[in-house]
Amino acid sequence: MDALMIGTIIKILIILLIVSAIAGFGTYIERKVLAFMQRRLGPMHVGPFGLLQIAADGIKLFTKEDIIPQNANKFIFSLAPTITAATAFIAMAALPLFPTFTIPEALPLIGGAIVPSVIADINIGILFILGTMAAGLYGPLLAGMAQSNKWGILGSARTAVQFLSYEVVTGLSVLAPIMLVGSLSLIDFNDAQIGGIGSWLIWQQPVAFILFLIAGFAETNRTPFDLLEHEAEIISGYVTEYSGLRWGMFFIGEYTNMVTISIIAAVVFCGGYNDIGFVSGWLLFILKVVFFFFLMLWVRAAWPHVRPDQMMWLCWKVLMPLAVVNVVITGIIIML
Amino acid sequence: MAHIEEHKETQIAQTEKQNYVMLNLGKTPDYGMPAFIQVVKRSLSLELLKGLGVTFREMINGLFRGKMHTTKYPFEKLPIAPRYRAIHEMLRLLESGHYRCIGCGLCEKICISNCIAMETRYDENQRKEVSEYTINFGRCIFCGYCAEVCPELAIVHGGRYETAGEQRAGFSLFEDMLTPIDKLKEQKEFAGFGSVSPNADENIKKTPLAY
Amino acid sequence: MFEQIAFYIFSVLTIGLFLVTVFSKNVLYAMTSLASGMVLIAGFFFLVGADFLGVVQLIVYVGAVMALYAFGMMFFNVTKDLKEKTTSNIWVMIVGVSVALLMTLMFGGVVNPEAIYASLPINSNMTNPQAVGMALFTKYLVPFEVAAIMLLIAMIGGIILAGKKMDTSLTNIEDEELQRKDVK
Ligand code: SF4
Ligand code: SF4
């Protein structure tokens, strides 16, 4: 095995372990941030500052009774959560995290391994990620349809509606930056913005950035668009009948998707993991991702939900024309 | 409108600066050009960012300016109003330390859920002495009649409001409710049924509704 | 080696899933296997190095089958088996077998390896999306544009069909008026 192979395996382990841990930790952060924004303390009692709350929740999820409703389609019912969780991690395979680095020789066993910045640098990276994340919505869809519960069916109907609305906007909004960079690989996106803050694509493509963020919120079912499980309207939507670990898998998937969208936003629009001056790219990258993650929680604290019809109206009548105009203008400018 | 003006004159309205702003949202246009104009206007005036600003400000207030609202309940407790009708207490006479109850039985008579049970007898000085006194808190509805009727201000409502119990019949004995003799100095008079809380003035606010 | 193993795994899975699609009486099973079969076909594209087409297959069919699900949801109770009203099995047999025969004949020519040639050979200087773009905008420009116009027509047709009475909002009509309309 050569150095790159070992490095790739290390990278896979990093992503699987750290990102799933972050996904779990995300629930804690979310509760804390939401609490602070409402001037509450949030979880406080398990461990210092409630840090061990995730462990407590994990134990709770593992030991809860796993209920499958009598009339549900048992096979699809148990398949659905795995779709969400698996696709979320598959999408991570084409995602660059941190610059490529070599593990120092001094370490035993893995010394000298080259850890690449992305597991599989396929040259259509961003399309692959968006495609797999789109496939991830089959989780909620199937879950809602398999559980023979009217709230579940409503949840999956809304999944279909949401998917058919935002998918166009996501594609069209990243199209303009893709035209500028001339590649679909996220590595190329990163390399195109190597020259400091001024070269970030967000300055050339502000409209695309905002459109992408909005579509990203819809893609991850975050608050202005969390139609699928809107408690006030449809109990819990597609997760109404789920309990225990299966329910937990949906949430690992959702939080992983949040991390993914944050990373894409950071890499495509905000300069990726390039160093700025003496500040290391590692630190900047983490800061950017943390900021986008925080933004999702922040928005959840501040903004109300939209109705499904408002969501369709927004996507098809406002965002899509904007995205098309943006693409056309970008094209004209490139041609000139 | 006159009564609103009148209200503004009151002292409370002047000392407490309350600035209620009436929002004139107008009629929401349904479709067509007016709706489009409204959307553009709202997007360009960045109304969404104002919402974000408010939540962020509250977070800063909570985290760094010490304005957290949370009471860590089982460890911290908020003071309850003096008129609150919680678990009963039996008070003592301040001079002698003897319990105040004279065994008149009025509370037993008036109790509408029939949960006070008492027995009395004459002691060696031919004074009435309470030999048994229990309140069944499984049945008490905390109506406060017993405290109201008591001629000696002996039975009052205390401040212990956590009344969850494991058994159906939670009796309380006379000794449990009686002020411990060493705590006699701290014994407080019950402000009474319907009395206002000491900070009532601060809590009065003008309602924004003019009716 | 790896490619062959992957090819056979993908083939067996895909054929199996499409068989489920055809034979299952449960709408949910049928649609789910259709969707996963379509996604697995993307695997073949990845195997032959056509990454771009693979991802396009993924994105397009994920969306398309999602719309199918929406219809399935509206027309059937998806958790129950469907009772099909087949009046004449013999006709179903005849049509099915003849279609299968036709397909075999159509693709039979391809089985002969001599007959296979690439009309646009792989150009190793170009990346995948570039190659697809080259093919679409040079050799197949006219079919591509025709397809685009057909899609446009379909879209306009859809909008016109669905767009009737779109300017009245049901939520703004008073209840009584709505009921009167229902009676009519
Ligand atoms: S509070 Fe009411 S119900 Fe309770 S003991 Fe007194 S009189 Fe009876
Ligand atoms: S009314 Fe007061 S004084 Fe009379 S028996 Fe009851 S507690 Fe004692």
Side-chain angles (χ1 to χ4, degrees):
Chain A
M1 281 210 276
D2 57 344
L4 193 60
M5 188 81 157
I6 300 178
T8 310
I9 291 175
I10 292 173
K11 186 83 180 182
I12 293 175
L13 286 182
I14 289 180
I15 285 193
L16 273 185
L17 295 180
I18 299 196
V19 173
S20 58
I22 287 178
F25 201 61
T27 59
Y28 169 76
I29 305 269
E30 170 154 25
R31 288 158 74 175
K32 271 293 193 198
V33 169
L34 284 184
F36 290 155
M37 292 198 160
Q38 295 157 355
R39 289 200 265 145
R40 290 183 289 115
L41 287 174
M44 280 301 278
H45 293 302
V46 194
F49 301 105
L51 271 171
L52 295 179
Q53 185 70 40
I54 336 154
D57 284 348
I59 292 170
K60 185 190 78 176
L61 281 184
F62 270 102
T63 50
K64 261 198 172 174
E65 187 186 356
D66 181 25
I67 299 169
I68 298 185
Q70 197 174 18
N71 289 332
N73 187 327
K74 301 206 170 43
F75 176 66
I76 305 277
F77 187 84
S78 22
L79 183 73
T82 46
I83 295 180
T84 308
T87 47
F89 281 101
I90 293 173
M92 284 253 159
L95 211 56
L97 294 164
F98 310 129
T100 307
F101 66 98
T102 312
I103 293 180
E105 297 281 351
L107 280 176
L109 279 177
I110 53 168
I114 303 166
V115 180
S117 65
V118 51
I119 294 176
D121 184 16
I122 42 180
N123 53 24
I124 38 133
I126 185 155
L127 276 191
F128 177 80
I129 294 170
L130 294 180
T132 5
M133 282 178 73
L137 269 198
Y138 271 89
L141 183 81
L142 292 177
M145 293 178 81
Q147 61 189 232
S148 76
N149 174 321
K150 60 185 165 193
W151 309 117
I153 283 279
L154 282 176
S156 50
R158 286 174 171 215
T159 313
V161 161
Q162 179 157 339
F163 176 83
L164 298 176
S165 312
Y166 77 75
E167 195 58 18
V168 185
V169 184
T170 328
L172 285 177
S173 65
V174 288
L175 192 56
I178 288 173
M179 283 158 65
L180 283 181
V181 175
S183 162
L184 291 169
S185 161
L186 285 169
I187 303 276
D188 290 343
F189 270 101
N190 182 58
D191 296 345
Q193 308 173 57
I194 216 154
I197 293 185
S199 68
W200 287 6
L201 277 180
I202 183 173
W203 309 127
Q204 296 177 39
Q205 288 290 345
V207 179
F209 174 69
I210 290 169
L211 292 182
F212 178 79
L213 269 192
I214 295 176
F217 276 74
E219 183 132 18
T220 46
N221 317 329
R222 293 305 301 177
T223 275
F225 309 114
D226 65 343
L227 313 172
L228 321 190
E229 36 165 333
H230 189 185
E231 295 88 356
E233 289 169 3
I234 48 171
I235 312 294
S236 211
Y238 66 97
V239 278
T240 307
E241 296 284 0
Y242 279 87
S243 63
L245 207 53
R246 293 188 211 279
W247 184 85
M249 271 156 89
F250 275 122
F251 277 75
I252 289 194
E254 178 175 335
Y255 281 91
T256 313
N257 276 340
M258 283 165 69
V259 176
T260 312
I261 285 286
S262 309
I263 293 175
I264 299 180
V267 171
V268 173
F269 292 100
C270 295
Y273 45 79
N274 294 311
D275 302 350
I276 296 180
F278 59 90
V279 189
S280 115
W282 286 71
L283 182 68
L284 282 176
F285 187 69
I286 291 179
L287 282 182
K288 286 170 201 164
V289 174
V290 164
F291 171 75
F292 284 115
F293 198 87
F294 177 73
L295 185 69
M296 292 185 171
L297 311 181
W298 189 4
V299 163
R300 177 164 179 196
W303 294 352
H305 305 266
V306 299
R307 293 194 310 260
D309 64 321
Q310 289 170 328
M311 156 107 196
M312 283 187 276
W313 173 85
L314 182 72
C315 283
W316 284 104
K317 287 194 179 167
V318 181
L319 300 185
M320 196 193 72
L322 268 181
V324 172
V325 169
N326 187 38
V327 167
V328 171
I329 292 178
T330 313
I332 292 174
I333 289 178
I334 290 178
M335 287 215 319
L336 289 180
Chain B
M1 287 307 274
H3 54 282
I4 300 181
E5 298 305 321
E6 213 169 84
H7 218 79
K8 275 186 188 152
E9 300 304 307
T10 60
Q11 207 189 1
I12 298 158
Q14 280 165 1
T15 49
E16 289 230 350
K17 283 218 187 75
Q18 293 170 349
N19 37 3
Y20 291 108
V21 181
M22 291 288 181
L23 280 183
N24 182 15
L25 292 176
K27 197 174 177 302
T28 313
D30 295 328
Y31 50 84
M33 209 52 192
F36 179 73
I37 289 174
Q38 192 189 41
V39 168
V40 172
K41 221 194 261 170
R42 288 189 175 171
S43 320
L44 290 186
S45 68
L46 300 179
E47 290 189 356
L48 285 173
L49 296 192
K50 284 176 200 158
L52 286 183
V54 169
T55 39
F56 198 75
R57 189 188 66 213
E58 291 309 310
M59 184 164 98
I60 300 296
N61 277 346
L63 281 181
F64 304 114
R65 307 220 178 106
K67 285 194 185 164
M68 279 292 181
H69 277 309
T70 308
T71 316
K72 296 181 196 163
Y73 162 61
F75 311 116
E76 296 171 5
K77 281 176 194 163
L78 293 177
I80 57 170
R83 62 194 285 184
Y84 190 78
R85 305 197 293 271
I87 293 281
H88 303 72
E89 272 170 12
M90 304 299 279
L91 301 188
R92 288 179 190 273
L93 289 168
L94 289 178
E95 301 87 355
S96 64
H98 193 268
Y99 56 78
R100 290 184 186 175
C101 177
I102 51 167
C104 68
L106 280 174
C107 54
E108 187 190 19
K109 263 267 178 307
I110 203 165
C111 176
I112 51 175
S113 53
N114 230 350
C115 59
I116 298 182
M118 62 187 295
E119 269 171 29
T120 51
R121 60 164 184 243
Y122 291 110
D123 66 1
E124 58 270 21
N125 304 329
Q126 293 297 299
R127 256 182 75 100
K128 249 210 185 146
E129 179 196 56
V130 180
S131 56
E132 297 283 345
Y133 192 102
T134 61
I135 300 182
N136 181 351
F137 285 117
R139 290 175 62 176
C140 172
I141 57 166
F142 301 100
C143 62
Y145 284 180
C146 49
E148 203 179 357
V149 81
C150 177
E152 297 293 312
L153 295 179
I155 183 164
V156 299
H157 285 287
R160 195 160 65 88
Y161 53 85
E162 287 136 323
T163 48
E166 285 169 356
Q167 279 168 1
R168 214 154 179 219
F171 288 95
S172 210
L173 302 178
F174 192 60
E175 291 75 32
D176 302 334
M177 292 183 283
L178 199 59
T179 316
I181 191 74
D182 48 326
K183 295 265 175 65
L184 188 58
K185 288 233 176 65
E186 294 156 33
Q187 174 175 298
K188 284 203 192 72
E189 288 306 322
F190 182 48
F193 191 49
S195 61
V196 291
S197 55
N199 61 346
D201 281 353
E202 298 157 30
N203 286 340
I204 294 179
K205 284 211 176 75
K206 191 181 76 165
T207 52
L209 304 169
Y211 40 81
Chain C
M1 176 60 188
F2 277 127
E3 268 105 29
Q4 278 175 3
I5 295 176
F7 174 78
Y8 283 113
I9 291 177
F10 276 134
S11 315
V12 170
L13 279 177
T14 317
I15 293 175
L17 283 168
F18 283 144
L19 283 180
V20 173
T21 312
V22 177
F23 287 118
S24 168
K25 283 201 168 127
N26 187 316
V27 183
L28 200 51
Y29 281 139
M31 283 190 300
T32 311
S33 53
L34 181 69
S36 28
M38 288 298 183
V39 169
L40 284 181
I41 283 185
F44 293 111
F45 286 109
F46 285 124
L47 278 183
V48 294
D51 298 354
F52 184 73
L53 286 183
V55 172
V56 168
Q57 165 89 15
L58 188 73
I59 292 178
V60 167
Y61 279 97
V62 161
V65 183
M66 185 78 84
L68 210 64
Y69 270 103
F71 285 113
M73 217 183 310
M74 287 188 259
F75 291 138
F76 307 111
N77 178 358
V78 287
T79 46
K80 296 239 167 60
D81 281 0
L82 203 67
K83 286 204 188 66
E84 290 172 69
K85 276 186 267 164
T86 42
T87 42
S88 101
N89 280 326
I90 193 90
W91 275 107
V92 174
M93 281 274 278
I94 291 174
V95 172
V97 168
S98 45
V99 167
L101 220 66
L102 195 69
M103 287 290 188
T104 324
L105 287 178
M106 270 167 65
F107 293 105
V110 184
V111 177
N112 175 12
E114 316 284 286
I116 302 175
Y117 68 96
S119 58
L120 271 180
I122 293 174
N123 185 345
S124 55
N125 302 336
M126 279 192 282
T127 61
N128 229 306
Q130 272 174 326
V132 173
M134 271 318 230
L136 279 186
F137 288 100
T138 54
K139 194 168 180 203
Y140 298 109
L141 179 63
V142 177
F144 182 67
E145 292 297 336
V146 171
I149 290 176
M150 277 177 62
L151 286 178
L152 185 67
I153 293 171
M155 192 173 84
I156 294 174
I159 291 174
I160 289 175
L161 281 182
K164 279 180 193 157
K165 290 195 197 157
M166 283 285 252
D167 49 348
T168 55
S169 159
L170 282 180
T171 42
N172 286 352
I173 304 178
E174 296 293 320
D175 274 353
E176 293 151 25
E177 205 180 327
L178 207 62
Q179 275 163 359
R180 242 182 294 135
K181 273 188 186 160
D182 285 346
V183 173
K184 264 179 202 168

